[in-house]
Amino acid sequence: MIRMQRAMLLLALAGAAAAAGEPDDGALRIATWGGSYEASQRNAYFVPFTEKTGVPIYTAAYSGGVEALRRRVQADTGSWDLADMTMADHQRACRLGYLQRFDHRVLAPAPDGTPARRDFLEGSLTRCGVAHNVFSMVVAYDKRAFPGVRPHRIGDLFRPEQFPGVRALRKRPDALLEWALVSYGVPPADVYTLLSTERGMRLAFERLDRIRDDIAWWRDPEAAIELLDEERVTFASGYNGRFFNAQVVNGRPFEIIWDAQLYQLEVWGILANAPRPEVARDFVRFATRTESLERQTRYIAYGPTRTSAIRRVGEHVTTGVGMAIHMPTHPSHMDRAIEKDVAWYSSTRETLSERFDAWLARGGEGTGEP
């Protein structure tokens, strides 16, 4: 009883810190992505870490990119301790000096004693952090919109005459350019080679021209789910784990098109001016344990980055659905999958953004943002 009361008190403190906008001294400040993803983190390691250490956790809204990190790092006060970042943004932020170097020797071994460096998937341990899950950007559609022939390939996204309706797409070129080239028949393995040429870029943007007037842009990942659920769009790009929660857990009539899924790693990074870097390192050690990573797979369909955790993937905590088939790394989804070339994005981000912005300005911005 005493232990339960203590845990409830700690959770109340954590909730109070989050509600305050900026936490009191002593709280750990973590920038993350909200929605069902953040809920999975809260269940898997935010609450357990607070219960174990007494350290409240404050979460701040973050939707990608490095600009938000730059502002925090260059500010005198109010920095975050830790950011949950895509690998592409993480590498760029590390290169720009917005993140601290990370000593991987602090990471916990696997339950059988295997050292962390041998247990994590290749590429998970970076100069400035640790990758903790594999996720993918996919396209999903509303089954109610297509009672007859249904879309099943990424090329169907670019066929409004056959599959009409508004497409809710993230307002960044990531994934859109890759999907555009695959829709021509370009093999996934050749996408970045072609995108590195003027011809490849021209072809990709010409394909996007076909659906320019049928796009509703989103920035918040939850907006994609809401637009699809409210039948305001027929297709939506988004993260596979969020679509899983909407479809399987909440019973929404969605279907994921796994063709040409764009997968990458999600990474923890400690900000250069983190107020509590030691506590942040303790948290990363705790959150990347085999047990913590496996626990998160009970709540959302993102694959863990440790071999020991992959072996433990079981059933969803409330529905009892087997989770392995819903992971982006399941063999049935990998045949035409695209591994996001984070080095390519890191080196081309500025020019790519300029070209994308010019494309938006040249013909308007679709139907607008939700």
Side-chain angles (χ1 to χ4, degrees), residues 144-206:
R144 296 168 295 187
F146 308 113
V149 177
R150 290 180 176 173
H152 67 285
R153 290 287 194 181
I154 199 63
D156 296 332
L157 179 69
F158 302 96
R159 299 189 181 98
E161 67 285 347
Q162 183 177 359
F163 299 103
V166 176
R167 281 87 163 122
L169 303 176
R170 188 183 184 194
K171 200 171 187 179
R172 287 180 68 167
D174 310 46
L176 299 183
L177 301 181
E178 290 93 332
W179 292 339
L181 290 189
V182 171
S183 74
Y184 285 108
V186 176
D190 297 336
V191 162
Y192 291 107
T193 300
L194 187 54
L195 276 178
S196 298
T197 68
E198 178 57 32
R199 175 175 175 268
M201 280 288 177
R202 176 176 54 79
L203 288 171
F205 280 106
E206 285 178 358

Side-chain angles (χ1 to χ4, degrees), residues 10-50:
L10 293 172
L11 294 180
L13 290 172
E22 287 293 343
D24 295 329
D25 289 342
L28 190 66
R29 312 176 189 197
I30 299 178
T32 189
W33 299 77
S36 55
Y37 176 61
E38 185 176 325
S40 74
Q41 293 179 306
R42 186 166 56 250
N43 286 306
Y45 32 79
F46 290 172
V47 169
F49 182 78
T50 298

Side-chain angles (χ1 to χ4, degrees), residues 179-333:
W179 292 339
L181 290 189
V182 171
S183 74
Y184 285 108
V186 176
D190 297 336
V191 162
Y192 291 107
T193 300
L194 187 54
L195 276 178
S196 298
T197 68
E198 178 57 32
R199 175 175 175 268
M201 280 288 177
R202 176 176 54 79
L203 288 171
F205 280 106
E206 285 178 358
R207 189 62 103 192
L208 288 174
D209 281 335
R210 298 186 63 179
I211 57 172
R212 179 194 293 276
D213 296 332
D214 300 310
I215 298 174
W217 299 108
W218 60 261
R219 296 183 187 273
D220 177 359
E222 284 299 299
I225 305 295
E226 294 170 4
L227 289 168
L228 208 56
D229 189 41
E230 295 168 2
E231 298 186 77
R232 294 165 60 188
V233 302
T234 56
F235 290 89
S237 67
Y239 301 112
N240 74 283
R242 293 174 187 260
F243 284 132
F244 166 83
N245 270 26
Q247 176 189 10
V248 178
V249 180
N250 298 322
R252 300 297 190 261
F254 302 162
E255 192 72 36
I256 292 176
I257 299 174
W258 285 102
D259 183 47
Q261 63 155 324
L262 185 72
Y263 70 93
Q264 65 168 307
L265 301 176
E266 188 75 5
V267 196
W268 290 118
I270 300 174
L271 271 69
N273 63 338
R276 305 193 68 190
E278 299 85 1
V279 180
R281 280 190 286 274
D282 290 342
F283 172 82
V284 172
R285 174 185 168 91
F286 181 86
T288 59
R289 298 178 311 154
T290 297
E291 298 85 352
S292 299
L293 296 180
E294 181 275 325
R295 188 182 299 119
Q296 189 177 19
T297 68
R298 304 178 198 172
Y299 296 92
I300 200 162
Y302 294 144
T305 54
R306 296 188 73 143
T307 301
S308 56
I310 293 171
R311 297 193 189 107
R312 295 183 173 205
V313 173
E315 298 178 346
H316 188 266
V317 66
T318 59
T319 67
V321 169
M323 296 298 288
I325 187 63
H326 297 284
M327 297 294 171
T329 49
H330 191 273
S332 64
H333 307 322

Side-chain angles (χ1 to χ4, degrees), residues 78-135:
S79 182
W80 299 326
D81 290 291
L82 198 63
D84 184 8
M85 311 180 68
T86 66
M87 181 63 82
D89 288 338
H90 175 85
Q91 288 191 350
R92 183 164 176 250
C94 183
R95 176 167 52 83
L96 292 172
Y98 300 157
L99 302 175
Q100 298 183 16
R101 295 288 293 270
F102 191 90
D103 185 353
H104 302 109
R105 291 175 295 182
V106 307
L107 299 176
D112 65 359
T114 301
R117 68 180 182 277
R118 289 170 44 202
D119 193 34
F120 276 88
L121 300 179
E122 183 178 357
S124 297
L125 306 183
T126 74
R127 186 175 66 172
C128 292
V130 185
H132 55 95
N133 72 54
V134 182
F135 72 99

